[in-house]
Amino acid sequence: MKRISIIGTGFVGLVSAICFAKKGYEVYASTHDQTKVDTINQGLSPFYEKDVAPMIKEAVEKGNLKAVLGREEAVLNSDISMLCVGTPSRPDGSIDLKYIESSAREIGEVLPKKDSYHLVIVRSTVVPGTTRNIVKPAVEASGNKIGEDFGLCMQPEFLREGDAIYDTLNPDRIVIGEYDKKSGDVLEDLYIDFYGKDYLENCPILRMNIESAEMVKYGNNCLLATKISFINEIANICEIIEGVDVTEVAKGVGLDFRINPMFLGAGVGFGGSCFPKDVNAIVAFAKEHDYKPSLLDAVLSINLYQAKHIVEIAKSELGGTLKGSRIAILGLAFKPGTDDMREAPSIKVINHLFEEGVTDIIAYDPYAIENTEKIFGDKIKYVNSVEECLKGANAALLVTDWDEFKALTPEIFIENMQKDSVLVDGRRIYDPKVFGEKLKFKAIGLK
Ligand code: UGA
């Protein structure tokens, strides 16, 4: 059984660590944050993600998972290190690789103390060339020889927040970018052992060079983001024509097997820690290399527009101005199932409301209020229920498609909001026929 060290205990790192631990591997989770070490070793999760907390507890209790401070203990006690550190954005949208470089160097500093081959795998999303031009020299800096002392792979991850454990245990493919055959063989063997040959019959392991694997991740996220911006553009065109509904259009288009129905949900646009960051990073990368990626530029600008658009819909319904109105925001997190506010469309929506002179904004979200307070402080009000949020509002903007909101009836809006108020569905969760009959109802992608 292989021993694995996971370098970085963020979302990808910790989820990978507990999945390996669950299957019986000996896992070391390495971080520079003593609080995180203590939290994990007490069997607790440093963040919220479905199923993570009980799995950490189980893994720590069984002795399969140990969080350690720094890299030495982790690397010395493992045969494989997975680099899962953060890759923040710089102000210009490009990727900041300082943690990748420093962690690779730290792994390299430990390797001379080992006498066996060690495989280093980059799991963080990095622009093409990073693994070869930054990680490799950083590991080599302590005198380690690639091919002899260590091997190198890049294996992108495709986990969704909220489904990260499921996605790790049930991938649809495994992409291995390999520096040389030996590196790829060691990683492939790990996954044959982890998933079993039966599972892998329907989950191809794709082996390719390192740069192609790095680019697969960007291709993947850029295409998903493009699907969303595409359907949002179609939604905005649908709004020109009486009676056309983008949800019907998306259904009709999505059933073409060449397209598929996923990620054709029109609305206020995509957020989160991945799509905006990754599209911006590859756009910046392309521009640095003198290519202007006009499609991806458009994907980003349509995405920015959607948050403004929902505010404009409300404004036109309330007679051309929002000044003096009370606006209810239903949903703050960038998607349901998380308290994550990174690049959440709600932030842009609220900022557009400020620009329109709105001073009375009341927000509700089942999980994300604490994180929203860190962004807006007391500039907006926070409440603990849908009813309190809607009370006296002139407009309600539905921004996150939580199940709790899907279950709401038109009566709840009518009973709590002002007379002549409007509900704008920014995620297309309400039936326009049912809601449109009973209250002033507007939705993205429907005139
Ligand atoms: C995304 C990808 O789905 C994962 O495959 C990838 O591994 C991950 O990024 C990453 O790079 O680490 P995630 O950001 O967790 O995962 O969330 P998604 O479920 O993809 O949703 C992203 C955003 O798109 C959300 O704001 C969501 O509301 C929005 N969205 C999604 C739409 O507006 N319409 C849709 O039809 C689908």
Side-chain angles (χ1 to χ4, degrees):
M1 191 58 88
K2 293 238 160 40
R3 302 168 309 158
I4 296 174
S5 54
I6 306 286
I7 310 301
T9 51
F11 182 74
V12 173
L14 201 52
V15 166
S16 309
I18 55 181
C19 288
F20 279 111
K22 189 178 172 57
K23 295 244 180 166
Y25 294 80
E26 192 180 322
V27 183
Y28 292 83
S30 157
T31 166
H32 287 311
D33 181 341
Q34 183 65 52
T35 317
K36 270 192 169 182
V37 171
D38 297 339
T39 307
I40 296 166
N41 287 338
Q42 281 161 30
L44 302 171
S45 176
F47 52 79
Y48 172 74
E49 166 70 22
K50 194 167 73 201
D51 299 335
V52 163
M55 282 176 72
I56 292 186
K57 190 166 180 285
E58 190 188 316
V60 170
E61 276 170 11
K62 278 194 178 156
N64 290 348
L65 173 66
K66 185 179 176 197
V68 294
L69 193 66
R71 313 306 187 202
E72 181 146 333
E73 187 179 348
V75 175
L76 281 180
N77 289 297
S78 61
D79 315 296
I80 293 180
S81 291
M82 295 194 167
L83 206 49
C84 305
V85 294
T87 52
S89 294
R90 295 204 192 94
D92 66 354
S94 66
I95 186 170
D96 185 341
L97 296 164
K98 62 174 182 259
Y99 301 122
I100 291 281
E101 201 274 337
S102 60
S103 309
R105 204 169 8 84
E106 288 160 357
I107 295 172
E109 284 162 6
V110 184
L111 293 185
K113 299 177 189 162
K114 283 193 69 183
D115 50 15
S116 56
Y117 180 81
H118 196 91
L119 181 64
V120 178
I121 305 155
V122 176
R123 300 299 315 273
S124 307
T125 301
V126 291
V127 290
T130 304
T131 304
R132 193 181 303 272
N133 301 326
I134 293 180
V135 175
K136 177 175 162 284
V139 179
E140 286 172 331
S142 310
N144 307 299
K145 283 204 174 60
I146 191 152
E148 284 175 34
D149 304 318
F150 77 103
L152 187 60
C153 286
M154 196 281 155
Q155 187 212 340
E157 53 77 24
F158 304 103
L159 317 181
R160 294 163 299 168
E161 273 192 55
D163 295 290
I165 301 286
Y166 177 87
D167 288 348
T168 305
L169 298 175
N170 303 277
D172 35 26
R173 79 296 204 197
I174 294 164
V175 174
I176 296 179
E178 59 197 43
Y179 179 82
D180 55 12
K181 187 174 177 307
K182 182 174 175 188
S183 307
D185 285 347
V186 174
L187 190 52
E188 180 163 353
D189 283 348
L190 172 72
Y191 286 120
I192 292 172
D193 184 58
F194 185 88
Y195 291 108
K197 282 215 161 88
D198 286 350
Y199 184 86
L200 293 175
E201 267 181 25
N202 296 311
C203 168
I205 293 185
L206 305 176
R207 290 177 61 166
M208 56 186 75
N209 72 21
I210 282 182
E211 288 73 15
S212 299
E214 290 169 328
M215 198 59 198
V216 166
K217 175 62 190 255
Y218 285 101
N220 212 85
N221 275 1
C222 287
L223 182 54
L224 291 172
T226 302
K227 278 187 94 171
I228 298 170
S229 280
F230 165 80
I231 202 64
N232 282 333
E233 177 130 293
I234 295 292
N236 299 340
I237 297 171
C238 288
E239 287 173 27
I240 300 169
I241 318 146
E242 195 69 49
V244 178
D245 184 341
V246 72
T247 60
E248 305 284 345
V249 175
K251 206 181 282 167
V253 172
L255 286 175
D256 184 324
F257 76 95
R258 295 166 301 177
I259 296 174
N260 108 18
M262 309 294 286
F263 282 71
L264 289 178
V268 287
F270 56 79
S273 63
C274 305
F275 287 171
K277 187 175 90 169
D278 291 352
V279 180
N280 272 301
I282 206 71
V283 163
F285 176 82
K287 287 179 181 168
E288 269 164 34
H289 292 83
D290 298 326
Y291 177 73
K292 190 183 172 315
S294 40
L295 176 63
L296 297 178
D297 272 338
V299 166
L300 292 171
S301 60
I302 293 169
N303 198 50
L304 280 181
Y305 174 70
Q306 291 311 104
K308 191 175 166 65
H309 185 45
I310 189 172
V311 172
E312 280 173 349
I313 294 175
K315 184 176 163 186
S316 113
E317 287 304 305
L318 294 182
T321 180
L322 292 173
K323 281 205 185 89
S325 294
R326 167 173 289 198
I327 311 289
I329 305 287
L330 291 180
L332 297 161
F334 87 95
K335 69 173 189 180
T338 174
D339 64 353
D340 197 339
M341 283 297 293
R342 283 176 290 177
E343 300 288 333
S346 63
I347 301 173
K348 284 177 270 167
V349 170
I350 291 168
N351 282 328
H352 285 307
L353 289 170
F354 290 151
E355 282 163 22
E356 292 294 334
V358 180
T359 51
D360 194 2
I361 301 173
I362 308 194
Y364 169 66
D365 186 285
Y367 277 93
I369 287 180
E370 214 180 299
N371 284 340
T372 312
E373 276 182 315
K374 291 180 198 153
I375 301 166
F376 290 112
D378 56 10
K379 285 206 237 154
I380 64 172
K381 289 192 202 81
Y382 312 90
V383 288
N384 293 319
S385 72
V386 171
E387 287 77 5
E388 285 172 89
C389 187
L390 297 177
K391 223 15 118 229
N394 301 97
L397 309 185
L398 187 294
V399 179
T400 313
D401 41 342
W402 285 99
D403 284 346
E404 180 181 345
F405 300 153
K406 291 183 185 164
L408 298 177
T409 58
E411 286 68 30
I412 296 179
F413 292 92
I414 297 166
E415 281 158 21
N416 289 290
M417 289 169 73
Q418 299 266 13
K419 204 166 159 284
D420 285 335
S421 56
V422 61
L423 162 63
V424 190
D425 183 353
R427 288 292 180 190
R428 301 309 315 266
I429 62 174
Y430 298 124
D431 183 340
K433 290 194 191 83
V434 176
F435 277 71
E437 256 176 28
K438 298 194 171 162
L439 72 156
K440 208 193 264 185
F441 176 81
K442 283 286 173 183
I444 284 179
L446 178 71
K447 190 170 183 183

